[in-house]
PDB file of all heavy atoms in Angstrom:
ATOM      1  N   ASP V 185      41.947  24.088-102.126  1.00  0.00           N
ATOM      2  CA  ASP V 185      42.144  23.643-103.516  1.00  0.00           C
ATOM      3  C   ASP V 185      43.103  24.582-104.255  1.00  0.00           C
ATOM      4  O   ASP V 185      43.954  24.136-105.028  1.00  0.00           O
ATOM      5  CB  ASP V 185      40.799  23.604-104.252  1.00  0.00           C
ATOM      6  CG  ASP V 185      39.905  22.469-103.787  1.00  0.00           C
ATOM      7  OD1 ASP V 185      40.412  21.542-103.126  1.00  0.00           O
ATOM      8  OD2 ASP V 185      38.695  22.514-104.064  1.00  0.00           O
ATOM      9  N   ALA V 186      42.959  25.891-104.022  1.00  0.00           N
ATOM     10  CA  ALA V 186      43.854  26.852-104.662  1.00  0.00           C
ATOM     11  C   ALA V 186      45.290  26.641-104.189  1.00  0.00           C
ATOM     12  O   ALA V 186      46.239  26.724-104.985  1.00  0.00           O
ATOM     13  CB  ALA V 186      43.396  28.279-104.356  1.00  0.00           C
ATOM     14  N   SER V 189      46.823  23.740-105.945  1.00  0.00           N
ATOM     15  CA  SER V 189      47.209  24.111-107.310  1.00  0.00           C
ATOM     16  C   SER V 189      48.529  24.879-107.314  1.00  0.00           C
ATOM     17  O   SER V 189      49.379  24.669-108.188  1.00  0.00           O
ATOM     18  CB  SER V 189      46.112  24.958-107.959  1.00  0.00           C
ATOM     19  OG  SER V 189      44.915  24.220-108.094  1.00  0.00           O
ATOM     20  N   ILE V 190      48.705  25.751-106.343  1.00  0.00           N
ATOM     21  CA  ILE V 190      49.956  26.501-106.241  1.00  0.00           C
ATOM     22  C   ILE V 190      51.123  25.551-106.019  1.00  0.00           C
ATOM     23  O   ILE V 190      52.186  25.665-106.660  1.00  0.00           O
ATOM     24  CB  ILE V 190      49.865  27.524-105.085  1.00  0.00           C
ATOM     25  CG1 ILE V 190      48.930  28.669-105.479  1.00  0.00           C
ATOM     26  CG2 ILE V 190      51.250  28.075-104.716  1.00  0.00           C
ATOM     27  CD1 ILE V 190      48.590  29.600-104.324  1.00  0.00           C
ATOM     28  N   LEU V 191      50.953  24.598-105.114  1.00  0.00           N
ATOM     29  CA  LEU V 191      52.028  23.658-104.795  1.00  0.00           C
ATOM     30  C   LEU V 191      52.412  22.795-105.981  1.00  0.00           C
ATOM     31  O   LEU V 191      53.549  22.320-106.073  1.00  0.00           O
ATOM     32  CB  LEU V 191      51.603  22.766-103.627  1.00  0.00           C
ATOM     33  CG  LEU V 191      51.574  23.446-102.253  1.00  0.00           C
ATOM     34  CD1 LEU V 191      50.830  22.592-101.243  1.00  0.00           C
ATOM     35  CD2 LEU V 191      52.999  23.713-101.781  1.00  0.00           C
ATOM     36  N   ALA V 192      51.487  22.594-106.902  1.00  0.00           N
ATOM     37  CA  ALA V 192      51.750  21.757-108.069  1.00  0.00           C
ATOM     38  C   ALA V 192      52.214  22.544-109.289  1.00  0.00           C
ATOM     39  O   ALA V 192      52.412  21.969-110.356  1.00  0.00           O
ATOM     40  CB  ALA V 192      50.486  20.966-108.420  1.00  0.00           C
ATOM     41  N   THR V 193      52.411  23.847-109.138  1.00  0.00           N
ATOM     42  CA  THR V 193      52.771  24.679-110.282  1.00  0.00           C
ATOM     43  C   THR V 193      54.225  24.435-110.705  1.00  0.00           C
ATOM     44  O   THR V 193      55.145  24.625-109.904  1.00  0.00           O
ATOM     45  CB  THR V 193      52.599  26.172-109.936  1.00  0.00           C
ATOM     46  OG1 THR V 193      51.243  26.401-109.540  1.00  0.00           O
ATOM     47  CG2 THR V 193      52.928  27.047-111.133  1.00  0.00           C
ATOM     48  N   ARG V 347      35.412  27.523-115.280  1.00  0.00           N
ATOM     49  CA  ARG V 347      35.233  26.772-114.037  1.00  0.00           C
ATOM     50  C   ARG V 347      33.753  26.555-113.774  1.00  0.00           C
ATOM     51  O   ARG V 347      33.141  27.208-112.939  1.00  0.00           O
ATOM     52  CB  ARG V 347      35.866  27.538-112.868  1.00  0.00           C
ATOM     53  CG  ARG V 347      37.371  27.760-112.952  1.00  0.00           C
ATOM     54  CD  ARG V 347      38.156  26.452-112.812  1.00  0.00           C
ATOM     55  NE  ARG V 347      37.875  25.758-111.580  1.00  0.00           N
ATOM     56  CZ  ARG V 347      38.567  25.952-110.453  1.00  0.00           C
ATOM     57  NH1 ARG V 347      39.561  26.831-110.421  1.00  0.00           N
ATOM     58  NH2 ARG V 347      38.280  25.263-109.370  1.00  0.00           N
ATOM     59  N   VAL V 385      54.991  34.585-111.893  1.00  0.00           N
ATOM     60  CA  VAL V 385      53.795  35.158-111.283  1.00  0.00           C
ATOM     61  C   VAL V 385      52.563  34.823-112.120  1.00  0.00           C
ATOM     62  O   VAL V 385      51.490  34.499-111.587  1.00  0.00           O
ATOM     63  CB  VAL V 385      53.939  36.680-111.108  1.00  0.00           C
ATOM     64  CG1 VAL V 385      52.649  37.293-110.575  1.00  0.00           C
ATOM     65  CG2 VAL V 385      55.086  36.995-110.151  1.00  0.00           C
ATOM     66  N   GLN V 386      52.700  34.870-113.433  1.00  0.00           N
ATOM     67  CA  GLN V 386      51.587  34.492-114.314  1.00  0.00           C
ATOM     68  C   GLN V 386      51.177  33.046-114.071  1.00  0.00           C
ATOM     69  O   GLN V 386      49.981  32.729-113.999  1.00  0.00           O
ATOM     70  CB  GLN V 386      51.994  34.692-115.772  1.00  0.00           C
ATOM     71  CG  GLN V 386      52.180  36.141-116.185  1.00  0.00           C
ATOM     72  CD  GLN V 386      52.892  36.275-117.516  1.00  0.00           C
ATOM     73  OE1 GLN V 386      53.074  35.305-118.242  1.00  0.00           O
ATOM     74  NE2 GLN V 386      53.334  37.492-117.827  1.00  0.00           N
ATOM     75  N   GLN V 387      52.166  32.146-113.940  1.00  0.00           N
ATOM     76  CA  GLN V 387      51.862  30.737-113.700  1.00  0.00           C
ATOM     77  C   GLN V 387      51.090  30.553-112.397  1.00  0.00           C
ATOM     78  O   GLN V 387      50.123  29.780-112.332  1.00  0.00           O
ATOM     79  CB  GLN V 387      53.166  29.930-113.640  1.00  0.00           C
ATOM     80  CG  GLN V 387      53.857  29.742-114.972  1.00  0.00           C
ATOM     81  CD  GLN V 387      55.160  28.967-114.817  1.00  0.00           C
ATOM     82  OE1 GLN V 387      56.070  29.395-114.109  1.00  0.00           O
ATOM     83  NE2 GLN V 387      55.247  27.821-115.459  1.00  0.00           N
ATOM     84  N   LEU V 388      51.515  31.244-111.345  1.00  0.00           N
ATOM     85  CA  LEU V 388      50.865  31.107-110.043  1.00  0.00           C
ATOM     86  C   LEU V 388      49.457  31.694-110.062  1.00  0.00           C
ATOM     87  O   LEU V 388      48.534  31.127-109.458  1.00  0.00           O
ATOM     88  CB  LEU V 388      51.710  31.787-108.969  1.00  0.00           C
ATOM     89  CG  LEU V 388      53.050  31.095-108.668  1.00  0.00           C
ATOM     90  CD1 LEU V 388      53.945  31.997-107.831  1.00  0.00           C
ATOM     91  CD2 LEU V 388      52.819  29.764-107.961  1.00  0.00           C
ATOM     92  N   MET V 389      49.270  32.803-110.762  1.00  0.00           N
ATOM     93  CA  MET V 389      47.931  33.379-110.878  1.00  0.00           C
ATOM     94  C   MET V 389      46.994  32.426-111.603  1.00  0.00           C
ATOM     95  O   MET V 389      45.851  32.209-111.175  1.00  0.00           O
ATOM     96  CB  MET V 389      47.999  34.721-111.611  1.00  0.00           C
ATOM     97  CG  MET V 389      48.634  35.846-110.815  1.00  0.00           C
ATOM     98  SD  MET V 389      48.671  37.416-111.746  1.00  0.00           S
ATOM     99  CE  MET V 389      46.909  37.842-111.795  1.00  0.00           C
ATOM    100  N   LEU V 390      47.465  31.850-112.684  1.00  0.00           N
ATOM    101  CA  LEU V 390      46.628  30.904-113.437  1.00  0.00           C
ATOM    102  C   LEU V 390      46.324  29.659-112.612  1.00  0.00           C
ATOM    103  O   LEU V 390      45.228  29.092-112.704  1.00  0.00           O
ATOM    104  CB  LEU V 390      47.319  30.521-114.749  1.00  0.00           C
ATOM    105  CG  LEU V 390      47.319  31.613-115.827  1.00  0.00           C
ATOM    106  CD1 LEU V 390      48.247  31.227-116.971  1.00  0.00           C
ATOM    107  CD2 LEU V 390      45.906  31.852-116.349  1.00  0.00           C
ATOM    108  N   ALA V 391      47.285  29.232-111.795  1.00  0.00           N
ATOM    109  CA  ALA V 391      47.048  28.074-110.932  1.00  0.00           C
ATOM    110  C   ALA V 391      45.904  28.358-109.961  1.00  0.00           C
ATOM    111  O   ALA V 391      45.051  27.493-109.718  1.00  0.00           O
ATOM    112  CB  ALA V 391      48.322  27.717-110.170  1.00  0.00           C
ATOM    113  N   VAL V 392      45.865  29.565-109.408  1.00  0.00           N
ATOM    114  CA  VAL V 392      44.789  29.936-108.492  1.00  0.00           C
ATOM    115  C   VAL V 392      43.456  30.033-109.223  1.00  0.00           C
ATOM    116  O   VAL V 392      42.422  29.563-108.734  1.00  0.00           O
ATOM    117  CB  VAL V 392      45.118  31.281-107.808  1.00  0.00           C
ATOM    118  CG1 VAL V 392      43.901  31.824-107.059  1.00  0.00           C
ATOM    119  CG2 VAL V 392      46.294  31.124-106.857  1.00  0.00           C
ATOM    120  N   LEU V 393      43.474  30.599-110.425  1.00  0.00           N
ATOM    121  CA  LEU V 393      42.229  30.875-111.140  1.00  0.00           C
ATOM    122  C   LEU V 393      41.606  29.632-111.760  1.00  0.00           C
ATOM    123  O   LEU V 393      40.385  29.460-111.716  1.00  0.00           O
ATOM    124  CB  LEU V 393      42.482  31.922-112.230  1.00  0.00           C
ATOM    125  CG  LEU V 393      42.839  33.327-111.726  1.00  0.00           C
ATOM    126  CD1 LEU V 393      43.345  34.190-112.872  1.00  0.00           C
ATOM    127  CD2 LEU V 393      41.642  33.980-111.052  1.00  0.00           C
ATOM    128  N   VAL V 394      42.415  28.792-112.369  1.00  0.00           N
ATOM    129  CA  VAL V 394      41.852  27.647-113.096  1.00  0.00           C
ATOM    130  C   VAL V 394      42.401  26.312-112.632  1.00  0.00           C
ATOM    131  O   VAL V 394      42.118  25.266-113.231  1.00  0.00           O
ATOM    132  CB  VAL V 394      42.068  27.787-114.617  1.00  0.00           C
ATOM    133  CG1 VAL V 394      41.290  28.967-115.155  1.00  0.00           C
ATOM    134  CG2 VAL V 394      43.546  27.923-114.962  1.00  0.00           C
ATOM    135  N   GLY V 395      43.201  26.273-111.568  1.00  0.00           N
ATOM    136  CA  GLY V 395      43.714  25.004-111.068  1.00  0.00           C
ATOM    137  C   GLY V 395      44.896  24.516-111.873  1.00  0.00           C
ATOM    138  O   GLY V 395      45.351  25.152-112.823  1.00  0.00           O
ATOM    139  N   ASN V 396      45.392  23.350-111.494  1.00  0.00           N
ATOM    140  CA  ASN V 396      46.569  22.796-112.163  1.00  0.00           C
ATOM    141  C   ASN V 396      46.210  21.750-113.213  1.00  0.00           C
ATOM    142  O   ASN V 396      47.048  20.956-113.616  1.00  0.00           O
ATOM    143  CB  ASN V 396      47.535  22.194-111.129  1.00  0.00           C
ATOM    144  CG  ASN V 396      46.842  21.163-110.248  1.00  0.00           C
ATOM    145  OD1 ASN V 396      46.090  20.320-110.730  1.00  0.00           O
ATOM    146  ND2 ASN V 396      47.066  21.235-108.945  1.00  0.00           N
TER     147      ASN V 396
END
Side-chain angles (χ1 to χ4, degrees):
D185 289 344
S189 296
I190 288 170
L191 287 166
T193 302
R347 298 292 302 270
V385 175
Q386 292 166 11
Q387 288 178 300
L388 292 167
M389 289 180 69
L390 287 169
V392 169
L393 293 168
V394 294
N396 55 44

